[in-house]
Amino acid sequence: MPAVTETIDTVAAVTSGTYKYGFETEIEMEFAPKGLNEDIVRFISAKKNEPDWLLAWRLKAFAMWKTMEEPHWPAVSYPQIDYQDAYYYAAPVKKQGPRSLDEVDPELLRTYEKLGIPLKEQAILAGVEGAGESPAEGRMPIAVDAVFDSVSVATSYKERLGKEGIIFCSISEAVQEHPELVRQYLGSVVPQGDNFFAALNSAVFTDGSFVYIPKGVRCPMELSTYFRINAKSTGQFERTLIIADEGATVSYLEGCTAPMRDENQLHAAVVELVALDDASIKYSTVQNWYPGDENGVGGIYNFVTKRGACRGKRSKISWTQVETGSSITWKYPSCILQGDDSVGEFYSVAITNNRQQADTGTKMIHIGRNTRSTIVSKGISAGKGQNTYRGLVKILPKASGARNFTQCDSLLIGDQCGAHTVPYIENRCISAKVEHEATTSRIAEDQLFYCRQRGLSEEDAVGLIVNGFCREVLKELPMEFAVEAQKLLQISLEGSVG
Amino acid sequence: MLKIEGLRAEIEGKEILKGIDLEVPTGEIHAIMGPNGSGKSTLSYVLSGREGYEITGGSATFNGQDLLAMEPEERAATGLFLAFQYPVELPGVGNANFLRTALNAQRRAKGESELDAMQFLKLARERMRALSMPEDMLKRGVNVGFSGGEKKRNEVLQMALLKPSLAILDETDSGLDIDALKIVADGVNAMRGPDFSSLVITHYQRLLDYIVPDRVHVLMQGRIVQSGGPELAKQLEASGYASVEAA
Ligand SMILES: Nc1ncnc2c1ncn2[C@@H]1O[C@H](COP(=O)(O)OP(=O)(O)OP(=O)(O)O)[C@@H](O)[C@H]1O
Ligand SMILES: [Mg+2]
């Protein structure tokens, strides 16, 4: 069983209204001064010993950001964010090369433990020398790259992957070791000035993951990253870049948790995927950031730009997301279907309970011929939650034979929540076919009673029915992740009935 | 023993049960017959705890426990099972998953160990064979796309797995072909024993040829108006409910 599953097994024990990951780790941290200006951008770049081109790239992004405004079109509302009142760089103080777990900062280990990461992986994550050589017995190897605040603490299984020519490391490391690849692809899918949050991220990103799968290689294991916001008042700006070269295949998992705090924290990540001819990338997210309490105090602002470019012929990018956390989610994992016969998929479950708000969906841009896209979105609203699906299907004139199928289903629990569906369709090609289906339903009283008559508690009954509602999406997740997601769905809805 | 005394219940301000008196001693099977709309399903829902009914009088106890004070799942845990007249569809919820979740919830409530997926499958397959149910019905969504008869068989399968001590079967025979009727009846008869009692609601004497009841009651306009042995069902079949009213 991989770390993620064990993590969630522990979560299952949680009672209503509590957030399992609401702990804070006290380790020595190094901060840049609060606030954001050109000097901070330079400081970050210098700290990371970056080449000049990257500093220039960041400064350009910063200059663009200064002229931009936060988007106001999403159906979410929140108080003004003070960008000068946050730290943009926080990293655990490095104690070089521990040789065993005893030498690792015990606070750090305790954090991993609370996250449910098994000892073997803990050792790898903490950078214990030699710990990553062989996978722990009896479990499918999963390569984990833990992002602890801004700095990737360690990367596991690197050597094993290295044998296949696969590069899986932190983006900072990639900048040092593979600058040509980073320079070629960074910002090629999400340019610096793409949007307000992407510009901010481009200026100040501190870490994230980098994956390169060489031609014809099928990545032998799931690649996985834990992102974890820990330090107080720290924004997290990871930057992830995944490149699948011709004929390559990779499945990438991203899981998130964050400590519980009364103040809101900003998470503005950028994820870029590039698939060349016949390549396939599957990107799965289970997002469980702290959602705030039942009165809407605290929680993560999850403003994320995720986009994949199907550059090659017959390439495929598939996004699967289960969004249960964050106080506000604003994200639209998208596909640019440029190569002929390329395929884009978006499978999403978004839950909003209490006062959570989610405005999420996707963009499928059909450029190449016979490009196909599938969108399956399941929105669940409970409590006073607001859930908006916002999607764009755009078919350009040359995309003859393009096809899209969109299905948006909303499930309402209680009568104080809301579900909204905003599909935009721009079809500029007569031979293209676009289908859209949408439903809104409630959990029926007879369904609940049927389950309870069989002995299920009301909450278990809701969990079962909701999982059934999401089945089409959950089955897209890698097995181990699916189990986690199912449990999370149920936990997220605790207290929503009765 | 199930003991119902002077039970009155209304829904949306309309009185449906108007003082039901009924005793089903442990180990017995009683049949309830009565015209459409007389309150048979209402009685089964009130006993199993469905929301929306207001109990305006009387009591219902099972082995001395006050049923009406319990949550539906607590009643299930004490051994009460209702085979629904109209089984409910749960889209996307696999039948096997549902059955195992239900079984384990009840085992937990009884302090028994839960069954893992393998143990459960073995048990379920065995019970399904006895009911001549194709195995793929485990994989399908609960009752989704099941034919009328398949839904009823699925109810009996659940009963066979959950092993209730009191089963209320609400028109489980309706919509069944002759062979299925026999299979379902066998399923109920297999449960028969000193610790099992049942209320069988039906419109047809035919079922009672297979499940021979200890007593037959006639429910009309919210009251039990006549009770008797198995011969009462035959009499009703011959002359209809008009004869009861006259009586
Ligand atoms: N929600 C409701 N609102 C108003 N009346 C209701 C409601 N539910 C049931 N009733 C009425 O209660 C009466 C009894 O219904 P019930 O379903 O118990 O009958 P039944 O004896 O099971 O009939 P059948 O043999 O047709 O199954 C009917 O007149 C029905 O219309
Ligand atoms: Mg009825």
Side-chain angles (χ1 to χ4, degrees):
Chain A
M1 196 164 41
V4 273
T5 316
E6 286 179 18
T7 311
I8 299 313
D9 283 344
T10 349
V11 183
V14 179
T15 51
S16 177
T18 58
Y19 181 74
K20 162 79 177 175
Y21 302 106
F23 53 84
E24 178 174 355
T25 308
E26 291 194 15
I27 14 179
E28 255 184 275
M29 299 292 283
E30 186 184 359
F31 290 98
K34 248 187 189 179
L36 184 53
N37 52 49
E38 239 188 69
D39 288 341
I40 293 286
V41 177
R42 288 177 191 280
F43 174 88
I44 292 168
S45 189
K47 264 282 163 206
K48 304 179 112 10
N49 195 25
E50 287 176 353
D52 292 344
W53 66 263
L54 190 49
L55 174 61
W57 193 88
R58 285 177 181 277
L59 289 172
K60 185 176 157 207
F62 181 68
M64 287 170 142
W65 179 73
K66 278 195 298 188
T67 69
M68 296 169 94
E69 262 191 62
E70 259 173 75
H72 295 296
W73 49 265
V76 297
S77 59
Y78 53 92
Q80 188 69 38
I81 299 173
D82 183 355
Y83 292 93
Q84 297 306 331
D85 191 34
Y87 294 103
Y88 288 85
Y89 184 84
V93 175
K94 262 221 182 90
K95 293 182 181 136
Q96 282 282 226
R99 251 156 303 142
S100 76
L101 277 176
D102 303 341
E103 289 179 38
V104 176
D105 188 332
E107 278 296 333
L108 185 61
L109 286 184
R110 220 159 294 147
T111 299
Y112 288 147
E113 212 177 287
K114 283 188 228 169
L115 277 167
I117 299 175
L119 211 65
K120 180 77 182 179
E121 268 91 354
Q122 284 181 27
I124 298 168
L125 288 173
V128 174
E129 285 166 23
E133 249 78 286
S134 62
E137 307 87 275
R139 68 166 75 93
M140 265 292 289
I142 290 200
V144 181
D145 176 20
V147 176
F148 196 86
D149 286 318
S150 308
V151 167
S152 177
V153 177
T155 303
S156 60
Y157 298 110
K158 204 154 76 181
E159 275 108 296
R160 252 199 89 181
L161 295 168
K163 283 189 193 118
E164 307 259 11
I166 294 168
I167 304 167
F168 176 36
C169 61
S170 72
I171 194 132
S172 324
E173 209 177 325
V175 168
Q176 304 301 326
E177 310 282 326
H178 311 280
E180 66 306 330
L181 280 173
V182 177
R183 196 168 184 179
Q184 185 182 349
Y185 289 104
L186 186 73
S188 75
V189 188
V190 180
Q192 291 122 300
D194 187 84
N195 67 69
F196 181 84
F197 297 111
L200 178 61
N201 174 288
S202 301
V204 302
F205 74 88
T206 39
D207 226 317
S209 292
F210 177 84
V211 176
Y212 172 78
I213 315 287
K215 275 185 193 166
V217 171
R218 180 172 281 271
C219 187
M221 59 181 90
E222 313 266 2
L223 303 182
S224 154
T225 304
Y226 280 89
F227 290 116
R228 183 163 164 75
I229 298 179
N230 185 66
K232 215 170 171 168
S233 298
T234 316
Q236 178 132 333
F237 305 95
E238 339 85 50
R239 185 102 197 174
T240 294
L241 178 55
I242 300 177
I243 303 140
D245 212 325
E246 292 170 19
T249 300
V250 63
S251 168
Y252 186 89
L253 318 176
E254 177 200 302
C256 328
T257 57
M260 180 154 52
R261 294 182 195 293
D262 318 336
E263 56 181 353
N264 297 100
Q265 275 180 289
L266 175 62
H267 176 247
V270 172
V271 175
E272 297 178 278
L273 312 182
V274 178
L276 302 184
D277 285 358
D278 300 295
S280 157
I281 301 175
K282 183 176 176 66
Y283 193 104
S284 313
T285 306
V286 173
Q287 185 266 113
N288 180 32
W289 300 117
Y290 179 54
D293 67 12
E294 66 276 15
N295 298 315
V297 176
I300 299 288
Y301 293 162
N302 191 29
F303 300 157
V304 169
T305 307
K306 290 182 168 177
R307 193 175 303 155
C310 282
R311 293 221 172 117
K313 297 192 174 95
R314 297 168 301 276
S315 56
K316 176 176 173 183
I317 288 179
S318 180
W319 299 100
T320 306
Q321 61 173 23
V322 175
E323 304 282 322
T324 64
S326 295
S327 63
I328 302 178
T329 295
W330 178 91
K331 88 182 244 208
Y332 313 89
S334 304
C335 297
I336 300 167
L337 303 170
Q338 194 179 339
D340 290 350
D341 302 294
S342 59
V343 175
E345 293 174 340
F346 174 73
Y347 296 96
S348 169
V349 169
I351 287 200
T352 52
N353 194 1
N354 296 320
R355 290 182 188 265
Q356 281 177 282
Q357 309 173 58
D359 193 305
T360 184
T362 185
K363 284 188 267 185
M364 293 289 175
I365 315 292
H366 293 254
I367 301 171
R369 276 174 299 163
N370 297 316
T371 45
R372 277 162 295 147
S373 62
T374 304
I375 299 169
V376 178
S377 161
K378 305 277 180 176
I380 298 143
S381 317
K384 294 189 167 79
Q386 292 293 328
N387 212 320
T388 302
Y389 166 82
R390 189 184 302 275
L392 169 66
V393 176
K394 185 170 182 173
I395 300 189
L396 297 178
K398 291 204 174 116
S400 56
R403 272 180 206 302
N404 162 265
F405 173 74
T406 300
Q407 187 184 326
C408 290
D409 298 321
S410 306
L411 186 69
L412 302 173
I413 302 173
D415 52 12
Q416 288 183 292
C417 54
H420 319 275
T421 301
V422 192
Y424 302 95
I425 298 169
E426 280 176 45
N427 188 353
R428 291 200 262 139
C429 172
I430 25 169
S431 67
K433 216 171 126 186
V434 178
E435 286 174 79
H436 180 91
E437 285 175 13
T439 66
T440 300
S441 53
R442 286 176 186 278
I443 293 187
E445 177 273 331
D446 64 346
Q447 292 179 318
L448 276 182
F449 176 61
Y450 190 67
C451 295
R452 295 179 74 187
Q453 205 305 299
R454 297 306 185 244
L456 273 66
S457 68
E458 191 164 20
E459 282 185 346
D460 287 349
V462 169
L464 196 76
I465 293 166
V466 166
N467 273 306
F469 172 75
C470 301
R471 208 187 73 91
E472 281 165 277
V473 172
L474 298 180
K475 75 177 170 37
E476 294 297 324
L477 287 172
M479 247 283 274
E480 307 279 12
F481 240 38
V483 175
E484 169 180 18
Q486 283 184 17
K487 291 182 181 169
L488 269 181
L489 290 186
Q490 187 146 350
I491 292 164
S492 312
L493 287 171
E494 271 177 7
S496 64
V497 287
Chain B
M1 175 161 84
L2 172 67
K3 191 168 181 181
I4 304 168
E5 283 179 314
L7 184 62
R8 289 173 173 272
E10 52 186 52
I11 186 156
E12 286 170 25
K14 185 178 159 200
E15 186 168 62
I16 310 290
L17 303 184
K18 300 172 182 168
I20 303 259
D21 293 296
L22 183 65
E23 280 186 17
V24 184
T26 304
E28 292 193 5
I29 293 184
H30 288 201
I32 293 187
M33 303 182 82
N36 295 133
S38 58
K40 303 181 296 298
S41 295
T42 302
L43 175 62
S44 69
Y45 290 144
V46 166
L47 291 177
S48 52
R50 188 168 188 164
E51 272 168 37
Y53 297 91
E54 202 190 331
I55 314 295
T56 49
S59 65
T61 60
F62 178 55
N63 295 338
Q65 283 182 282
D66 180 4
L67 279 181
L68 303 180
M70 292 189 250
E71 295 294 329
E73 57 270 32
E74 293 169 341
R75 303 184 202 199
T78 65
L80 189 151
F81 178 88
L82 170 62
F84 284 59
Q85 182 175 3
Y86 304 107
V88 178
E89 299 187 4
L90 302 176
V93 180
N95 208 21
N97 181 27
F98 178 68
L99 295 173
R100 184 157 81 95
T101 307
L103 181 58
N104 281 336
Q106 295 207 14
R107 290 179 68 99
R108 245 195 335 264
K110 287 182 205 144
E112 293 169 3
S113 68
E114 298 186 24
L115 297 188
D116 66 27
M118 293 313 291
Q119 292 167 317
F120 169 77
L121 269 182
K122 194 164 165 279
L123 186 69
R125 287 202 179 112
E126 193 184 295
R127 297 284 145 82
M128 287 178 84
R129 229 171 291 130
L131 290 164
S132 304
M133 286 171 71
E135 214 177 275
D136 79 325
M137 281 171 70
L138 278 179
K139 292 192 200 110
R140 290 162 59 181
V142 176
N143 296 321
V144 176
F146 285 23
S147 75
E150 285 169 342
K151 284 183 182 170
K152 296 299 175 75
R153 258 189 261 193
N154 203 31
E155 295 292 287
V156 177
L157 170 65
Q158 295 181 48
M159 180 180 75
L161 285 169
L162 296 173
K163 288 194 179 299
S165 45
L166 173 64
I168 304 171
L169 307 180
D170 192 355
E171 296 196 30
T172 303
D173 55 330
S174 296
L176 290 183
D177 62 43
I178 310 278
D179 294 342
L181 183 70
K182 206 166 169 314
I183 289 165
V184 164
D186 287 346
V188 177
N189 286 328
M191 308 267 313
R192 229 176 173 145
D195 302 321
F196 176 76
S197 28
S198 182
L199 259 185
V200 178
I201 298 171
T202 182
H203 285 296
Y204 306 105
Q205 139 68 23
R206 191 185 57 174
L207 175 70
L208 305 179
D209 284 339
Y210 297 109
I211 305 173
V212 180
D214 296 289
R215 301 282 291 164
V216 175
H217 309 276
V218 181
L219 180 63
M220 282 177 81
Q221 291 174 356
R223 283 192 193 92
I224 303 282
V225 292
Q226 198 177 350
S227 299
E231 71 291 344
L232 176 58
K234 293 205 171 81
Q235 188 189 316
L236 286 171
E237 179 107 328
S239 46
Y241 293 110
S243 62
V244 181
E245 265 166 317

